Amino acid sequence: AGLFASAKYAKFPFDKLIQPAIDLAEKGFVISKSEAGSLNGLQHELLQFNTTLPVFVKPAGWKEGDTLVQKDLANTLKRIKEKGAAGFYEGETARLFVEEMKRGDGIISYDDLKNYQPKFREPHVFDYKGYKVIAMPMPSSGGILLHQMMKMIENRNIGAMGFQSPQAVQLMVEAERRAYADRAEYMGDADFYKVPVSMLTNDVYLQDRMKNYDPTKATPSHDIKPGFLQAAKESEETTHLSVIDKEGNAVAVTTTLNNSYGSRTVVGGAGFFLNDEMDDFSIKPGVPNMYGAIGGEANAISAGKRMLSSMAPTVVLKDNKPFLVVGTPGGTTIPTSVFQTLVNIIEFGMSTEDAVYKPKFHHQWLPDEINVERGFPMKTMEVLQKMGYPTIDRGQIGRTEVIKVLPGNKFEAVADNRGDDDARGW
């Protein structure tokens, strides 16, 4: 529905745009080593959660170079090509969807599918040192978190501290933990909860949040509460695309199944995975989700409500023209990855490639620890540990895709080497 709603801005008709996907599904494509490993790690759950055996099950195991053919998905895409959004939300695809729900004791009905409507929302826009940052609004926390973190460091001359210096990392971590504390208390679907966006992003408020920042030691998360507002009650299976054309039209798109392969359940006969996005709601105050994120009443489950996400597709303007197009998958690490990428380019003057490829770190208030990727500087980690920061080695953080506009109408596109990502121009 979102794709068709935004198609009014497209240059090509949808039936032409969808055909390459139909071809890939119908004729198959050769899978990579990492894709084979990912599918092999999924076999037990595919057998456990599916009422109709999907094409992703292969008893002998997948290997690099195998061809994955998805006939059911191809037929679903053909129905969408022929009938538009109704080819998904009504007719044969809807029938297959609802029958899958019944077999799995799900509750999604024909009316739920037919009545779903996408929403256009005003982007969250803010200024950072003369750059205009255009980010995603509620019900994604990504834009507000990015705004808060950027503004908390803006007047502290982080550029002079140096990339991945203990001082720079510590400052960014303290900004991250304060922003995520606010996320837990105040952020949710603005249609159901009055999210105090203007107060959360007020410059005076954000500077007040940093009053107890100490550049010599950690501020434990148990001492960091959500900020006090005068009007207080006012996955990692995500895909990101950054696109720009010769006229300078820039698009940042993030779409998600939430966890890897979502619910691991494929709609029988239709060929697509169902997400497990319900995990992005707060089950109850103080109980973490699969990413360890804490939430409260603002993000409580309610019929018709959209769950709080972390998606952060972002466009940065310089002199009111596109300068950066950026985004990433990664669950709650998405906003911090975009934050670091922007700081790397704008403050540290790094090349786009280094800004994407260099090891990243992440802090989200709770749990009270810094996650770091392999290759993160050991000396910086040692200094941070002495300052009181628990540091945890973890796997890769996100897969950031960046386009940078260069002088002379040239583009620099970098696809993250953390995955089978790709950058192309034509």
Side-chain angles (χ1 to χ4, degrees):
L3 290 173
F4 278 97
S6 59
K8 64 183 181 181
Y9 299 107
K11 294 180 178 178
F12 295 111
F14 204 90
D15 60 351
K16 182 175 181 178
L17 292 170
I18 202 172
Q19 189 59 49
I22 293 173
D23 295 339
L24 284 170
E26 191 164 44
K27 299 173 185 177
F29 64 91
V30 175
I31 65 172
S32 67
K33 182 178 180 180
S34 63
E35 287 168 333
S38 180
L39 288 170
N40 287 336
L42 193 67
Q43 296 299 297
H44 173 73
E45 289 176 303
L46 288 174
L47 293 170
Q48 180 182 358
F49 295 128
N50 283 276
T51 58
T52 301
L53 211 60
V55 296
F56 306 102
V57 172
K58 188 172 183 180
W62 294 91
K63 62 183 184 297
E64 181 181 7
D66 283 345
T67 300
L68 176 62
V69 179
Q70 302 171 83
K71 297 286 188 183
D72 289 344
L73 178 60
N75 290 331
T76 295
L77 296 175
K78 287 177 183 178
R79 289 190 288 271
I80 295 170
K81 177 181 178 179
E82 180 185 348
K83 299 180 180 178
F88 182 84
Y89 294 98
E90 302 175 43
E92 177 68 4
T93 308
R95 182 186 69 81
L96 293 167
F97 200 127
V98 172
E99 287 183 359
E100 181 65 48
M101 281 287 133
K102 290 177 180 176
R103 289 195 299 270
D105 294 326
I107 63 173
I108 295 176
S109 68
Y110 285 110
D111 284 343
D112 291 325
L113 293 172
K114 190 174 181 179
N115 294 334
Y116 179 77
Q117 294 293 326
K119 292 203 171 189
F120 279 91
R121 301 183 192 265
E122 287 296 316
H124 185 84
V125 181
F126 65 94
D127 177 84
Y128 182 83
K129 295 188 175 179
Y131 295 89
K132 181 183 286 188
V133 182
I134 304 170
M136 190 168 176
M138 290 284 119
S140 175
S141 62
I144 293 179
L145 289 176
L146 186 61
H147 186 161
Q148 289 187 304
M149 294 184 294
M150 296 290 286
K151 286 295 189 179
M152 281 190 241
I153 70 164
E154 186 175 27
N155 64 353
R156 297 180 186 272
N157 198 15
I158 192 171
M161 298 177 185
F163 171 68
Q164 288 187 347
S165 67
Q167 295 81 8
V169 174
Q170 192 234 1
L171 173 60
M172 294 173 76
V173 161
E174 292 297 338
E176 290 173 2
R177 84 156 91 227
R178 286 161 175 78
Y180 277 77
D182 282 355
R183 179 192 194 274
E185 180 71 15
Y186 298 119
M187 298 185 200
D189 185 348
D191 288 346
F192 287 75
Y193 184 88
K194 193 170 177 60
V195 181
V197 174
S198 61
M199 300 196 74
L200 287 170
T201 56
N202 179 275
D203 284 344
V204 174
Y205 169 76
L206 292 173
Q207 293 313 308
D208 187 67
R209 293 292 276 137
M210 293 294 282
K211 273 187 177 177
N212 59 347
Y213 159 68
D214 186 333
T216 66
K217 65 180 182 180
T219 309
S221 285
H222 60 72
D223 291 341
I224 298 290
K225 306 300 181 189
F228 175 74
L229 302 179
Q230 295 293 331
K233 297 305 175 187
E234 200 187 309
S235 181
E236 269 185 46
E237 194 61 17
T238 301
T239 302
H240 180 83
L241 305 171
S242 292
V243 186
I244 195 166
D245 69 9
K246 62 183 179 182
E247 282 90 24
N249 297 300
V251 182
V253 181
T254 308
T255 180
T256 187
L257 279 171
N258 198 33
N259 192 25
S260 182
Y261 296 97
S263 63
R264 275 76 160 176
T265 301
V266 177
V267 174
F272 57 86
F273 281 98
L274 297 173
N275 66 46
D276 60 347
E277 205 68 51
M278 288 295 289
D279 181 70
D280 269 354
F281 279 121
S282 299
I283 300 172
K284 61 182 180 180
V287 176
N289 70 0
M290 70 173 67
Y291 298 105
I294 301 294
E297 186 61 33
N299 191 36
I301 296 170
S302 181
K305 188 176 184 180
R306 287 164 165 83
M307 60 288 294
L308 183 67
S309 83
S310 297
M311 296 186 288
T314 303
V315 176
V316 179
L317 306 184
K318 182 180 182 181
D319 299 325
N320 229 29
K321 295 179 180 179
F323 173 57
L324 297 171
V325 189
V326 59
T328 181
T332 50
T333 70
I334 291 173
T336 57
S337 292
V338 173
F339 173 43
Q340 288 168 65
T341 304
L342 296 188
V343 170
N344 288 348
I345 294 172
I346 294 172
E347 291 286 7
F348 298 132
M350 293 169 63
S351 69
T352 313
E353 192 170 84
D354 281 347
V356 172
Y357 291 171
K358 293 290 187 182
K360 290 187 168 61
F361 59 92
H362 171 73
H363 198 296
Q364 62 181 47
W365 182 50
L366 294 175
D368 190 356
E369 62 192 27
I370 303 176
N371 288 183
V372 297
E373 284 187 305
R374 184 177 302 146
F376 195 81
M378 186 60 67
K379 286 185 178 180
T380 296
M381 284 178 60
E382 289 172 353
V383 173
L384 291 168
Q385 287 165 355
K386 289 178 181 177
M387 295 169 73
Y389 294 93
T391 57
I392 307 295
D393 289 317
R394 58 158 284 169
Q396 67 182 40
I397 297 176
R399 300 201 318 270
T400 310
E401 321 296 351
V402 179
I403 298 172
K404 182 180 180 182
V405 180
L406 304 174
N409 284 330
K410 295 183 178 179
F411 304 126
E412 185 176 58
V414 175
D416 206 321
N417 60 0
R418 292 169 176 83
D420 296 324
D421 300 31
D422 196 23
R424 299 198 182 191
W426 63 89

